[in-house]
């Protein structure tokens, strides 16, 4: 979107092809839909003949286009907007749909457009508070996408200074080898938390993001007294802003993540390293690093996360995990060391 930039990520052949007037979302085999798909494929072949070194794809706002069995684009380019508290989980469900396709249809997935918005708002939410951009960045990164989602409303983000939210995520990802290690994504839901997590094929490495899903634009703008001045009297899901529940401080110890080494015959342990996602964390020796804990799996290969303190100050945390082996001296699969913060 930066017109002066010479760095091209990919060619977007058509924007939201499924919203072209004659395209039939309910029947990909209709004459109208096939004419659009045929034309898009001609454009794709032309772009690749002129520039084979860049990815090319048409984007869509509905999964129907991407479900065409003859889909040949280089990746799945998705768009998803909304204002619901469930928005990122809806995005994750769409990503899961594509990454679980048959091998001959598997391609990278990315959100080429993503924002908290409905038509009549025109980007107001994104400009009122950084929380929407913050949540979208971390959630889309951890749900199995080929990168974090791209926000449509770059102007209000830029002028408000919200692009600084990329700093903690960039620091967190430094040193992670995505080229030689294949990661599998997973989602866990437990009110009021949502957790997006990835692990490698060998069950030795992983990373994730745990978030209090009540902490999003609707509750934050109310808590910061920016509702009337920034958003006006927007009615959300039929509710009144005065009904918003404020976040309380707590530590969670029942967030289960699965797919790791089973402790059926012997105990397996993982080290968790926790990281702040805030742009202004307390200073420590390692950027954004908070502390660590060691936790064992149960016989199902599940790990019950024990989070650092969550609440209004820190409504979300990111973590990395590494397999550290077995320890026969500890018999209880749920035993854990206390998280030691680094000051």
């Amino acid at each position: 979107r930066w017109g002066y930039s010479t760095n091209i990520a990919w060619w977007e052949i058509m924007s939201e092809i499924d919203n072209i007037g004659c395209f039939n979302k309910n029947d990909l085999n209709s004459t109208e839909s096939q004419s659009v798909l045929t034309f898009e494929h001609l454009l794709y072949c032309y772009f690749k003949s002129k520039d084979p070194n860049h990815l090319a794809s048409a984007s869509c706002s509905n999964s129907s286009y991407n479900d065409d069995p003859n889909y040949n684009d280089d990746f799945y380019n998705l768009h998803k907007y909304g204002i619901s508290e469930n928005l990122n989980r809806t995005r994750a469900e769409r990503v899961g749909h594509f990454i679980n396709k048959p091998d001959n249809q598997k391609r990278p997935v990315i959100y080429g457009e993503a924002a908290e918005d409905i038509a009549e708002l025109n980007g107001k939410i994104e400009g009122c508070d950084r929380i929407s951009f913050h949540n979208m960045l971390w959630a889309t990164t951890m749900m199995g996408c080929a990168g974090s989602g791209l926000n449509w409303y770059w102007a209000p983000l830029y002028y408000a200074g919200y692009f600084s939210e990329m700093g903690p995520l960039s620091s967190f990802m430094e040193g992670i080898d995505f080229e030689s290690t294949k990661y599998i994504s997973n989602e866990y839901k437990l009110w009021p938390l949502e957790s997006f997590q990835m692990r490698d094929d060998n069950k030795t490495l992983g990373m994730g993001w745990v978030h209090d899903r009540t902490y999003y634009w609707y509750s934050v703008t109310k808590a910061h007294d920016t509702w009337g001045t920034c958003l006006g009297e927007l009615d959300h899901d039929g509710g009144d802003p005065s009904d918003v529940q404020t976040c309380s401080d707590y530590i969670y110890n029942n967030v289960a993540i699965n797919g790791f080494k089973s402790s059926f015959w012997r105990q397996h342990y993982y080290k968790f390293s926790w990281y702040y996602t805030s742009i202004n964390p307390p200073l420590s020796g390692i950027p954004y690093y908070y502390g660590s804990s060691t936790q064992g799996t149960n016989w199902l290969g599940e790990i019950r996360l024990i989070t650092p303190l969550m609440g209004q100050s820190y409504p979300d945390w990111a973590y990395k995990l590494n397999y550290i082996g077995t320890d026969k001296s500890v018999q209880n699969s749920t035993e854990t060391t206390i998280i030691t913060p680094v000051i």
Side-chain angles (χ1 to χ4, degrees), residues 20-89:
I20 291 177
C22 63
F23 190 91
N24 188 339
K25 297 181 180 181
N26 299 316
D27 185 5
L28 294 178
N29 294 317
S30 68
T31 302
E32 295 82 3
S33 295
Q34 285 299 309
S35 65
V36 175
L37 295 173
T38 299
F39 180 59
E40 189 276 336
H41 185 63
L42 290 173
L43 290 176
Y44 169 82
C45 292
Y46 175 79
F47 272 84
K48 296 300 286 187
S49 69
K50 298 298 182 182
D51 185 3
N53 296 320
H54 283 99
L55 300 175
S57 177
S59 63
C60 73
S61 62
N62 184 284
S63 61
S64 58
Y65 159 63
N66 301 120
D67 284 330
D68 178 14
N70 298 314
Y71 184 87
N72 289 306
D73 292 0
D74 294 329
F75 64 102
Y76 296 115
N77 185 351
L78 310 180
H79 293 181
K80 184 60 180 176
Y81 295 83
I83 59 174
S84 169
E85 168 197 322
N86 301 320
L87 180 57
N88 281 316
R89 295 196 301 286

Side-chain angles (χ1 to χ4, degrees), residues 219-246:
S219 58
V220 170
T221 53
K222 174 61 178 177
H224 293 176
D225 294 324
T226 56
W227 185 273
T229 58
C230 192
L231 290 175
E233 296 303 318
L234 173 67
D235 182 45
H236 174 53
D237 290 345
D240 183 86
S242 61
D243 296 332
V244 175
Q245 299 295 315
T246 57

